[in-house]
Amino acid sequence: MADIEHLRAGVRASLPELADFTDQDLATKIVDAWALSLSQTEFERIEDMPGSANPDSPALREGTQATHVRGVGLLTVALGEELQRVLGPLELDRDVLYAAGVLHDLGKPFENSPANQARWKEEPGKAGFPAIRHSVYGVHIALTVGLPEELAHVCGTHSGEGQLVYRSTLNSIVHHADHAFWAAAEKGGLLDMDPADLWTKTG
């Protein structure tokens, strides 16, 4: 297993926009969070995970989980800034928008871990399958490294779990950025799947 400094360096390389943060304390916590999450698994880089929404979902033909994480970060910034330009202040700055976007899938190393997947599949009745989804595990990691509650909220409820809570403004933007990323990749033929297969299942 790689040491934590090696993991941190990898995270900074995967998310180059962190170097431009005004709030470098927040940038450091993002790096610490991803490094801790990776350290609990076989993965050393965000790029080591396939670029898929879930372990059993079609993956990007070109790109990895880092492509998705960074893409959602940049989409979140664009959506947030343009919404504020049209609607007025939403009290969201660029650093926080990007942070929310790149942290939303913070728990994916745990859920995507081959060892965890194999264990859960072998005996799903024992701890469930998966035992803990990436959204929930991401909250654990976020709070452990001292990230603020509003970012932990994004980790925990950007996905289906968010239907059970009142999503924050920030979380709502991330939720739509996340879905837009996968919808565009699917409709644009960028996923490792035949769009005709989807039509057969739903048409």
Side-chain angles (χ1 to χ4, degrees):
M1 182 180 292
D3 67 56
I4 200 73
E5 287 305 324
H6 175 76
L7 295 174
R8 287 184 179 120
V11 173
R12 288 194 178 275
S14 301
L15 307 174
E17 290 78 16
L18 294 177
D20 299 325
F21 264 40
T22 299
D23 186 348
Q24 278 299 310
D25 180 60
L26 177 57
T28 297
K29 286 181 179 175
I30 293 168
V31 171
D32 288 346
W34 270 108
L36 176 60
S37 188
L38 292 165
S39 76
Q40 305 303 301
T41 70
E42 304 91 324
F43 305 120
E44 293 188 12
R45 293 284 297 266
I46 303 172
E47 289 89 341
D48 292 343
M49 292 181 285
S52 59
N54 293 297
D56 58 351
S57 300
L60 293 167
R61 294 184 194 278
E62 295 184 18
T64 67
Q65 196 60 224
T67 309
H68 171 63
V69 167
R70 188 169 172 231
V72 173
L74 294 170
L75 275 171
T76 301
V77 170
L79 272 172
E81 291 189 338
E82 290 305 308
L83 285 169
Q84 291 184 118
R85 186 171 67 85
V86 173
L87 294 173
L90 295 173
E91 299 183 2
L92 300 170
D93 69 28
R94 188 178 186 87
D95 288 356
V96 171
L97 286 163
Y98 185 78
V102 298
L103 287 168
H104 81 286
D105 277 344
L106 179 60
K108 272 194 177 175
F110 179 83
E111 186 175 351
N112 286 18
S113 161
N116 288 345
Q117 285 285 318
R119 185 177 68 259
W120 297 331
K121 285 178 181 177
E122 184 177 342
E123 199 173 357
K126 183 175 181 181
F129 181 67
I132 303 171
R133 274 196 14 105
H134 69 273
S135 47
V136 178
Y137 193 76
V139 173
H140 159 67
I141 295 292
L143 294 178
T144 297
V145 302
L147 282 161
E149 187 176 53
E150 54 265 36
L151 292 175
H153 167 72
V154 171
C155 293
T157 58
H158 68 276
S159 53
E161 290 84 352
Q163 296 174 19
L164 303 175
V165 303
Y166 187 86
R167 285 189 174 104
S168 69
T169 304
L170 180 61
N171 192 9
S172 297
I173 294 170
V174 173
H175 170 72
H176 288 290
D178 187 20
H179 281 265
F181 180 96
W182 292 121
E186 177 193 314
K187 308 304 181 188
L190 303 179
L191 295 181
D192 192 14
M193 61 179 289
D194 184 343
D197 291 341
L198 183 65
W199 173 251
T200 302
K201 293 175 184 176
T202 61

